Amino acid sequence: MSSYKARVEEFKSVLEAEVIDFKKLRKIVFNGCPFEAGLRSKCWKLLLYYLPKNRSDWDTELLKQRATYVQFIDEMIIKPGTEATENGGVSDVTFDDHPLNPNPESKWRAYFKDNEMLLQIDKDCRRLCPDLNFFQRATDYPCNRLCGENSFETLRKRVENSVLHSESVSQNRLGITNMATSRRKTSDEYMPLPDGQEAHWEVCERILFVYAKLNPGLGYIQGMNEILGPIYYTFASDSEKDCKEFAEADSFFCFTTLMSEIRDNFIKTLDDSQCGIGNLMNQLMTTLKETDSTLWYKLKEQDLKPQFYAFRWLTLLLSQEFPLPDVLRIWDSLFADDKRFHFLIKIGCAMLLLLKQDLLTGDFPHNMKLVQNFPYTTIDVQVVLKKAVEIR
């Protein structure tokens, strides 16, 4: 217990310095962040370059970024045909624009196109971390701009009358289960909260929608919700009021920074390029071959390609392979990695090495099931990380 308190004090000492020493910060974060006192939130914001290294600049930078995000909401989510008045109300401007306007620049044209993307975002965010109740609970800080008396249409209201698709049978390129096209009524599990309240998943939905609107070349791709989820959870469940209150804006900018580093993994046309996911999978197999040629040969002999399992591991930063608390611990090390996610390759290799005995004796169906469903209940995440550190 005393060693833990000493570790917390070490974090506080680094974070309270006038100028953050990133070398020290990376070193201590690599071994895991304490969750208390907002330590992980601050560390992640620093390592994702959201907070500047000079502490004296933090308040100014946060104020500017959070105000910018409010502008994004105004520009991206307010329904075409309405605009804000000076007193915060809504005025009708449909005289100038209307849903049947054939003009390619009509806001309504973009609005209807956005709804197609929004349906996928909505479906994915409703199912964020299904083992936790957190994302279904109401946030204490709903967006007043959208939930106040003179509110605009929320994203939830755009889709709340739509049906959900069910009966999943296929998987997409990320290894995520897709929903088939059969229809059923929305179950109580997905019923929205009363007006004036927002569930945490709705906040994530808004973040992803704004991101997609600001990045039209990429848009929204299934799996991005799994990248946002741990970031938003960390900020929104922080012990400090300021962090929780502005979790949406802070999560948006940290997510945007993270996506700028891994976005090529989501672009299918880049799969086989030097910067695509194919190159990362090759790096994983090369590392495995150099570390344990016997296991590498076994997988090659069975034609157990990394596309069957490592595609999802690497693209989604292992967010689907472990429960959320373990994901947060893994991401501490990933964000602290000065080579930016090179350690992810080692973690993937470590996971295979820890399954070695079963893989060497198993047939193809057995091994396929094993690597696609990593047994995190019997192999502790700390064991995985320790094994990854040992890999040279």
Side-chain angles (χ1 to χ4, degrees):
M1 191 66 175
S2 59
S3 62
Y4 178 78
K5 289 182 178 180
R7 182 163 172 75
V8 170
E9 291 304 315
E10 183 181 17
F11 270 84
K12 289 181 178 180
S13 176
V14 172
L15 293 173
E16 290 172 0
E18 285 302 313
V19 179
I20 303 300
D21 186 330
F22 269 78
K23 186 175 181 180
K24 287 184 179 178
L25 180 68
R26 291 183 188 282
K27 182 178 180 181
I28 60 175
V29 172
F30 187 84
N31 294 316
C33 287
F35 194 73
E36 63 185 78
L39 296 177
R40 174 172 278 137
S41 296
K42 289 187 179 74
C43 290
W44 282 19
K45 289 172 184 176
L46 284 161
L47 294 173
L48 291 172
Y49 310 118
Y50 181 50
L51 289 178
K53 64 179 181 180
N54 294 318
R55 286 188 74 251
S56 59
D57 296 334
W58 285 10
D59 290 344
T60 301
E61 187 66 19
L62 288 173
L63 191 65
K64 181 182 71 174
Q65 295 287 63
R66 290 164 178 174
T68 298
Y69 183 72
V70 172
Q71 292 179 350
F72 289 158
I73 290 179
D74 286 349
E75 295 171 7
M76 308 296 170
I77 298 182
I78 293 176
K79 180 177 179 179
T82 61
E83 65 178 17
T85 61
E86 292 184 359
N87 62 4
V90 179
S91 66
D92 188 355
V93 294
T94 53
F95 182 78
D96 298 316
D97 194 12
H98 57 85
L100 300 181
N101 188 347
N103 190 331
E105 297 181 359
S106 168
K107 292 182 179 179
W108 282 102
R109 189 183 185 93
Y111 176 79
F112 292 132
K113 185 176 181 180
D114 289 343
N115 279 353
E116 299 175 12
M117 172 180 67
L118 179 57
L119 286 173
Q120 183 63 57
I121 297 176
D122 184 84
K123 182 170 62 177
D124 292 346
C125 286
R126 287 175 185 268
R127 294 167 171 79
L128 260 174
C129 299
D131 294 337
L132 293 178
N133 187 42
F134 172 81
F135 287 96
Q136 302 299 324
R137 296 204 311 263
T139 173
D140 293 331
Y141 302 99
C143 179
N144 292 329
R145 191 81 171 96
L146 298 169
C147 298
E149 292 183 6
N150 297 318
S151 60
F152 298 108
E153 181 186 52
T154 64
L155 297 181
R156 182 191 76 190
K157 289 182 178 179
R158 288 200 200 181
V159 296
E160 65 183 1
N161 293 323
S162 301
V163 296
L164 296 178
H165 297 99
S166 59
E167 299 180 11
S168 57
V169 293
S170 61
Q171 288 186 327
N172 69 1
R173 60 189 287 276
L174 298 178
I176 299 174
T177 300
N178 285 315
M179 314 308 288
T181 57
S182 61
R183 297 186 173 191
R184 64 183 175 91
K185 294 182 179 180
T186 305
S187 68
D188 291 340
E189 179 183 358
Y190 301 116
M191 289 298 289
L193 296 171
D195 288 343
Q197 295 185 29
E198 285 189 311
H200 288 291
W201 69 262
E202 295 181 64
V203 181
C204 291
E205 176 180 60
R206 186 162 53 245
I207 294 172
L208 292 169
F209 183 79
V210 171
Y211 174 82
K213 289 284 289 179
L214 290 172
N215 295 270
L218 181 63
Y220 172 77
I221 299 175
Q222 193 175 15
M224 289 181 179
N225 59 310
E226 306 296 347
I227 298 297
L228 172 63
I231 296 175
Y232 176 76
Y233 173 83
T234 297
F235 298 166
S237 59
D238 193 278
S239 59
E240 295 190 354
K241 179 180 181 296
D242 181 75
C243 187
K244 288 194 290 188
E245 183 175 357
F246 296 100
E248 179 176 352
D250 295 349
S251 296
F252 169 80
F253 286 107
C254 288
F255 170 77
T256 298
T257 300
L258 181 55
M259 282 302 303
S260 71
E261 299 188 44
I262 65 173
R263 62 178 287 161
D264 289 350
N265 297 339
F266 286 83
I267 303 175
K268 187 175 182 179
T269 55
L270 296 179
D271 281 359
D272 299 321
S273 70
Q274 193 67 24
C275 59
I277 187 64
N279 182 54
L280 286 181
M281 290 188 291
N282 290 336
Q283 289 182 42
L284 173 61
M285 289 297 100
T286 298
T287 302
L288 179 63
K289 184 178 182 180
E290 294 172 349
T291 307
D292 193 314
S293 58
T294 302
L295 179 56
W296 173 84
Y297 183 78
K298 177 67 174 182
L299 299 181
K300 186 175 179 61
E301 181 184 46
Q302 289 190 344
D303 201 25
L304 192 58
K305 299 177 181 179
Q307 288 88 335
F308 299 150
Y309 56 94
F311 192 103
R312 187 176 68 189
W313 292 5
L314 301 174
T315 302
L316 302 183
L317 307 182
L318 298 169
S319 61
Q320 293 278 282
E321 316 313 318
F322 295 88
L324 185 57
D326 289 349
V327 172
L328 302 184
R329 172 61 191 91
I330 290 171
W331 283 21
D332 288 340
S333 296
L334 293 183
F335 293 164
D337 180 11
D338 58 358
K339 295 182 180 179
R340 302 313 273 176
F341 307 112
H342 179 70
F343 191 60
L344 177 62
I345 301 296
K346 293 187 176 182
I347 296 177
C349 184
M351 291 165 66
L352 292 172
L353 292 173
L354 290 169
L355 299 176
K356 178 179 178 178
Q357 295 306 315
D358 283 338
L359 291 173
L360 290 179
T361 57
D363 56 14
F364 179 84
H366 172 272
N367 288 347
M368 174 70 82
K369 183 178 180 180
L370 190 60
V371 294
Q372 288 187 341
N373 300 276
F374 186 78
Y376 61 82
T377 56
T378 56
I379 302 179
D380 187 78
V381 66
Q382 295 291 355
V383 174
V384 175
L385 292 171
K386 182 179 178 181
K387 189 72 172 178
V389 171
E390 295 171 356
I391 299 173
R392 294 288 178 258

